Amino acid sequence: MEGVGRLWLDRGFLSSEAGAAALRRCLRLSSAQYEVILGWGDALARRSIRAAQGFYCAAPEMALHLGSAFSCWVAIGQSLVGAGGPGGELALAYFSVGAERAARVGLGVLREWAELLERLAGKSERLGASLAQATASVLGRVAWPKIRAWAEAAIALRERYGWRGELLADLYLAAGRRALELLDAADFASWAELGVVLRQAGWGGDLYIALPASVRGWGVAERAAYLRISLALARRDAEAGREFYLGCPAALASFAAALRARLLAACEAIAADPDAVPELLGGIPLLGACIGSIPEAEREAALDLLVEVAREAPAAAVQMLRVLPAVFERAALDGVRAWVQRGLEIGARDARTARAYFGLESRTSWRVLSGAATGVALEDVGGVLGKFVSMLSGQPARLVASAGLHFSLPMEEGAGRPEGGEISLPGRIDCFPSEEENFRFYKVLAAMAAGRREFGTYEVPRDAIADPALSALFCLTDGYRVARRLMRAYPGLAPDFAWVAERLVRAWGADESGRRFLDALLLAALLPPGMQSSVPARVAKAAAAVSPCLAPLGSPEATAYDALRVAEQLWALVGGARRERGGATSCSGLDGAVRVGRAAPPLSGELEAFAAQREAAIAEHMTNPALSVRQEWGGETGGTLPITAEELMRVLEAGAELRLGPGEDNGGEGVAVYACDLSGGIARDPVEEGKQRRRVESGVGVPAGRSWRAGREEGPTFQYDEWDYHLGDYRPAWCRLTEVAVRGDTGEFFRDTLAAYAALVPELRRQFQRIRAAGFRLVRGFEDGEEVDLHAAVDARAQVRARRAPSPKLYLARKREVRDVAALFLVDMSASTDERVLGAPAPQRASREDLRAVPAGRSAVREQRIIDVLKEALVVLAVALEGVGDAYAIYGFSGHGRENVEVYPIKSFAEALGPAVQSRLGGIEPKRSTRMGAALRHAVQKMVGLSSAAKYLFLLSDGFPQDFDYGEDRRSNAYGIRDTAMALREAEAAGILPFCITVDKAGHDYLRDMCEASRYLVIEDVFSLPRVLPRIYQNVVGTN
Amino acid sequence: MKGSEPYYLAIGDELEVFRAAYDCRLPVLLKGPTGCGKTRFVQYMAYVLGGERSNGIPGNLITVACHEDLTGSDLVGRFLIQGDETVWVDGPLTQAVRAGAFCYLDEIVEARKDTIVLIHPLTDHRRILPIDKKGEILEAHPDFQLVISYNPGYQSALKDLKHSTRQRFVTIDFDYPPRDKEAEIIAHEAMVPADLAIQLALLGEKVRHLKGAGLEEGVSTRLLIYAAQLIRQGVAPRRACTAAISRSVTDDWELRRAIEEVIGALFLD
């Protein structure tokens, strides 16, 4: 055995790096110790030479560290030699744990570890080896209980799931380093189980190694919740579980622990409802954006509410998450709480109602929210403010919403255009406790915008204030000028300005942002005397410095150029103040104009460099004022260094005493010349860049690139509510309806139809003329009238003779018979009207007995598209109506989805049946779907403004209402039918009598649900429509 | 009968044009928005051109406010039964034609078409008025002057004046006076201080900016005078303007609110 024993210590091993190092360490031991090592080595070598060699490498260190416990340590290793298979991998891994780590964990842990390895190796040598390798490197670095839990989970996989479990356990162990780093002992069991579930569903191969790194640092409860949700989802739907497992941590990465915990709680509650899972997964990527848009101070409370909703109505919670930013824009926290409570009460009815409510898709939801809101949105008051600005300035005003809230508004885009420029106002104001106060602030801002127009701000070319810092100063100086002019011209605005200034100067003065500081400065300058005490010290200091410069701008004669000049001077003074502090020479051009007072602390190096550049530019400008602004200040060669608002604030804040002295004229003259000489194109206002805006008015933002919509003339757009019978409520602004111009033909269809119905048309005209009022009729029995009524006069005489009191009603008058009827024909232009229909052999044309005529050249057996028959009927009816004089309009409708409902104006009430209308009648063609509700509501809107005594709305269709998103269930028509029925009822409520005509033989089935039997007619024979329609009209209009 | 001279402040050359037309006995059509001073202008001209001569017609002017039920008999005259007799009574037009006064048909387009044609023979060189019920053709007095008015602003296409009618008249366009003159008018009519009158005229100017952008008609000088009169009676300026102006010119909530904000901006209560 000795010979064998020494074989493991061969030359090859000892010449290897590890062997040589071990030998060197052994040489430091006593011979007795070395003999012991050799003895143990020999014993190990009998079963595994590699194990013996591993032992030899570790032994010298261990002998020194462990002393008497050395033999115990070797004995543990020896027990592993046989357990790990012929390769001795377990023992090798055991001996690879360095002396320091082994000493740190202690023999007890080493023994436990060895038992664990033996246990697993007893089931699978391969897994045992994997576990040994994976754990050997972390032992002593990671807490033993954690390692043990991790290993136990692997063992459990093998024990519970057999060979499949072995494969999984292998993958599980391979991801060991990542798992031990990111997870805790309590997590391993569910993490391993997640792999099992996903593996069974065909996933899971990469699952363990793909453990998202974002879970690092999460709390125990958070990780547990995350894995619990993943597992719960995966058990129902492997794909959903995997998606959540992989996507959730990244989506939550940016949140603080408090928010994360709440979000996970909400996710867990939502995930409990299988129907809500798709929405949950869709909502996870939006978490950052949605929560980030909620005011920071209210996020936790908002998420508490979300959790509450998620527990009560899981499917609605994701909807709520999406609209939370909008909800918080409209209402403060208390309002949102009230909104949620009401929603939970309403949503208790059913999930669909809750979803619509919390998605702000029901009128009730909006109403409750609006009731809770004190903030004012531009969307709601834009109409009033736009008119207010238009009246004050005398130019049309288009308001757009901008982000942020400032007193100095951005310069108007396109100012001075005849159609008016684009005025940016905050999208919402919610900084005061009541709606009235928030509106008051809006009014002051709108007045400032109007004042700029009225008092000539835009006479100054934009190039002159292209520099952002100069622009900010100009906003300050011109803002002061405009506000003073406004207060003078509109005395009623003065209290509003004072109120806004007093309320905001304190809050904004404390704001760290540079832009707010300038706003606060302007507000402080606008404060009435005696109210200065409300100004924060840092603003007051700067205001005291700037006020003398602003004072002359309060004169009614001050112009925008004066404001520019003062802004320029302030600009130079700012440079001068800096120089004074830094001890540099003063700017020669402004010395006479300005006295810079006490010294201030030195400026930063960056600011000094900036100041030097600006001074050079100012000096050059003063000596050569003819240079253009672009060359000097903003040009490519000028190399200007724009000052930021913060820098400006710091300079102003430093409190230099600035005063315009007697030399002002000299100093200002150069600037005035310079300012007047400005020329060139209007520069883009950098302040405007990056501004998020939203058009208040509708009719913009039509998505492009849809081939079926390309190349069309689109008119204004409208939004209409839609009735959802499931909710028992309207979905507000649900349909976007666009008026689309119809491309007409050359009038050929109209002419051909008239020719084809040559016999019918005159007959109809005669019929219609019979129903036309005679114009005037004689009415008897007036006490005063045009003529004496002889019969009455004779009767009166007889009465007198009989000594009775005669009737005084002795006159007659011609009274006009008023026929005041308006009718709108709404024609279904859905794709189904393209269907061809076959009719019976047509009768011979043009006989009085049978008024129906067959167009010339058409075959005896008729085959036509439904739409063509509808068109013919409209042509015939239109011609007949011209005779009767009733006001009428014709509109087609179709569309595709709720965002693309289309109405095609064929003839408006104001138009005559001229060539354009005739052409459009010929241009009616089948389009797409049939969303009747929105089209009917639009038609009603067209009619409500009419003064006619009787209004009728005729709906001509060939089938039931249908659209791909007309209700959630495409197979059911109920949603569309109920919405149409509601739209018809709305028409009646608006004083318009609707009447439905369909050529669909199955029309009874749904029309009876939509309206009363007397309010619809099913035309069995399509081809009879041109003949029947005028008669229907006569009957409907005549009987009502 | 002569009465006192009506107040009228000329805005342009309308006095000269009217006087010239009168000298030639040409009928005159006054076009302009409501409440801009058309009626007052006619009153003034009738008074001034009537001279010292008295024709028994107060102010030398007969005004007929036309409406859609106005018949020919209402203008020309009719037989009335008085006791046992049937008596012919001249209508306002006939009275003016006989007496040589001014006849002013206000808002002529409101009248029925068959009524409007009655005036045609009076408006050309014939200057006659056929009274068919009496079988009489009445020649107009040399001093008779026909004046009609209409407001093209809010009239629909259906109520436009036919060319056969409008091409018989010399037309004078009216509009709201410029701010300073309107203030002068307000101050005179309502007897209010000039600065208040100027503010009211400014308000009128501002509100008129909305014409075509929601308002069919701008606020009339008449309404501004009403507001001034209310203020003179002690009503607070904002309340007076609200009552006399914003509530009168529109029922639209948004327009009304916007106008009231402008009122609030212009007047301190």
Side-chain angles (χ1 to χ4, degrees), chain A residues 496-509:
Chain A
D496 294 327
F497 272 97
W499 176 83
V500 167
E502 189 197 358
R503 299 291 294 272
L504 290 182
V505 75
R506 190 191 303 272
W508 287 9

Side-chain angles (χ1 to χ4, degrees), chain A residues 939-953:
Chain A
V940 169
Q941 284 305 311
K942 293 277 175 196
M943 300 191 79
V944 285
L946 299 177
S947 60
S948 301
K951 300 176 202 172
Y952 300 90
L953 171 54

Side-chain angles (χ1 to χ4, degrees), chain A residues 376-448:
Chain A
V376 177
L378 183 62
E379 204 173 35
D380 299 329
V381 298
V384 171
L385 294 176
K387 290 179 175 66
F388 180 69
V389 174
S390 296
M391 278 191 278
L392 292 195
S393 65
Q395 296 167 35
R398 201 163 30 154
L399 306 185
V400 293
S402 64
L405 184 62
H406 292 289
F407 189 70
S408 289
L409 299 172
M411 288 291 168
E412 188 175 318
E413 287 291 344
R417 285 189 206 139
E419 72 274 16
E422 220 172 54
I423 293 172
S424 293
L425 288 178
R428 181 173 183 78
I429 294 182
D430 198 6
C431 52
F432 297 111
S434 74
E435 197 175 337
E436 290 72 23
E437 287 171 307
N438 287 315
F439 179 79
R440 197 175 182 188
F441 185 24
Y442 252 132
K443 187 175 73 173
V444 169
L445 291 178
M448 285 292 281

